[in-house]
Amino acid sequence: MIHCRALTFRTVFSHVSAHKLDYFKWDELTRPEQLNEQCDSGAKLAIYNVDPDEALAAQPFPLEPICVYVNQGKEKMTSDTGERIRFHCHYALAKEIFARHDILSPAAFAQVDWPNVNIALHGVPRCFQLWACKQVHNIAGTNRRLHRQGQRSSPLCPSCLEVSETCAHVLMCEEENRVQCFQMSANNLESWLKSVGTCDLLEEYIMTFVRSRNSKSFKECIGGTRDPLALKLARSQDRIGWRRFMEGMISKEFCRIQETQRRLGRTHVSGAKWAQSLSVKLLEMTHGQWLVR
């Protein structure tokens, strides 16, 4: 098809999304998508079978000026490679740091939808990015931290005055105004989920999990369903945990389920855009708890 200008019949081109097997089963793909996956697999196989020690004549790429593989050969880059290379370097570095500081284990880290979380964080103001980083790493200005630095007379939570204030406590303080603020934020999240055409069951699972305030696992929130997609989502998100979920670290299974909703014509919002917005909405809920201290 490279020399398609020489064909004797009229051709019509249309875009076919790539890498669909990352999100869907083979029999769920359209025929053009299946053919695209077969061509892609054949091209990769040809590259892998080349003997690196064999001297091959340099040939120009007819369609791509340069081809770079990252993520152990699973991801191909053909345009500006700078941003993608930086992402994969930062991914490896963050994975190591999160494990060292007991933020997320390597297994839990791998469950987070980092491509969409990364895009989401790059779309918020710089000060909000800094706050999110401090919240996740437990270095935000809580009374406990400031007390250790000699800047507060007491490490207690300024709202409940019962326990030492930590970044985790800010999310789960039971003081009346804090609880009321959390409930209002949860109601706003629910309204947003409805407005963007979220899958009904997904909306129910998310809101039950959010309102549990770390008292239930995601698996408990989905009830006794035997839906394999829901069970896979529950296992994934439970590895990440409730607190990290409220800090924007959502499972990659969310995007896959919501993208199916779009493919069925029930929403115009792509799974990726939806996941990015969800990550920010959850972070905004957590930030709201700081505003009522």
Side-chain angles (χ1 to χ4, degrees), residues 251-262:
S251 165
K252 54 192 176 185
E253 302 303 326
F254 281 107
C255 180
R256 294 172 179 174
I257 295 175
Q258 185 60 21
E259 178 60 18
T260 300
Q261 184 83 344
R262 186 195 66 81

Side-chain angles (χ1 to χ4, degrees), residues 186-196 203 207:
N187 291 339
N188 290 336
L189 175 64
E190 186 173 23
S191 297
W192 173 80
L193 289 172
K194 292 180 183 296
S195 70
V196 293
E203 176 192 329
M207 294 314 305

Side-chain angles (χ1 to χ4, degrees), residues 95-259:
K95 184 177 181 179
E96 178 185 343
I97 293 175
F98 275 40
R100 187 191 317 148
H101 293 280
D102 294 323
I103 297 173
L104 284 176
S105 68
F109 189 92
Q111 295 301 314
V112 178
D113 188 358
W114 288 117
N116 284 321
V117 172
N118 177 62
I119 293 173
L121 287 174
H122 277 78
V124 298
R126 178 65 173 170
C127 287
F128 192 82
Q129 294 176 5
L130 292 174
W131 164 81
C133 180
K134 291 180 178 180
Q135 167 69 23
V136 169
H137 287 270
N138 297 310
I139 57 174
T142 60
N143 274 359
R144 179 181 180 181
R145 182 171 181 81
L146 296 177
H147 177 69
R148 287 180 175 178
Q149 298 174 348
Q151 300 180 45
R152 289 287 189 275
S153 59
S154 170
L156 295 181
C157 171
S159 298
C160 66
L161 299 175
E162 294 180 356
V163 298
S164 180
E165 185 188 43
T166 63
C167 290
H169 176 76
V170 169
L171 263 171
M172 294 179 281
C173 180
E174 293 296 331
E175 191 270 333
E176 183 179 357
N177 289 331
R178 290 275 192 93
V179 173
Q180 184 178 3
C181 176
F182 189 90
Q183 292 173 345
M184 291 175 60
S185 296
N187 291 339
N188 290 336
L189 175 64
E190 186 173 23
S191 297
W192 173 80
L193 289 172
K194 292 180 183 296
S195 70
V196 293
T198 305
C199 170
D200 291 340
L201 287 176
L202 201 58
E203 176 192 329
E204 179 184 342
Y205 299 156
I206 290 172
M207 294 314 305
T208 302
F209 190 54
V210 167
R211 289 179 171 134
S212 74
R213 301 195 77 184
N214 206 28
S215 64
K216 292 182 179 181
S217 67
F218 203 97
K219 186 176 182 181
E220 291 176 304
C221 294
I222 67 174
T225 181
R226 294 184 179 182
D227 181 358
L229 293 179
L231 292 172
K232 187 176 182 180
L233 168 62
R235 288 192 296 268
S236 176
Q237 190 59 58
D238 280 337
R239 282 189 172 184
I240 300 168
W242 183 85
R243 175 188 168 181
R244 303 308 177 191
F245 178 76
M246 296 302 301
E247 292 171 346
M249 299 179 211
I250 61 175
S251 165
K252 54 192 176 185
E253 302 303 326
F254 281 107
C255 180
R256 294 172 179 174
I257 295 175
Q258 185 60 21
E259 178 60 18

Side-chain angles (χ1 to χ4, degrees), residues 8 14 30 32 40 63 69 74 83 91 119 132 138 151 159 178 190 200 204 224 245 267:
T8 58
S14 62
T30 63
D40 192 41
L63 301 179
Y69 282 88
K74 297 177 182 177
E83 182 178 346
Y91 177 95
I119 293 173
N138 297 310
Q151 300 180 45
S159 298
R178 290 275 192 93
E190 186 173 23
D200 291 340
E204 179 184 342
F245 178 76
T267 177

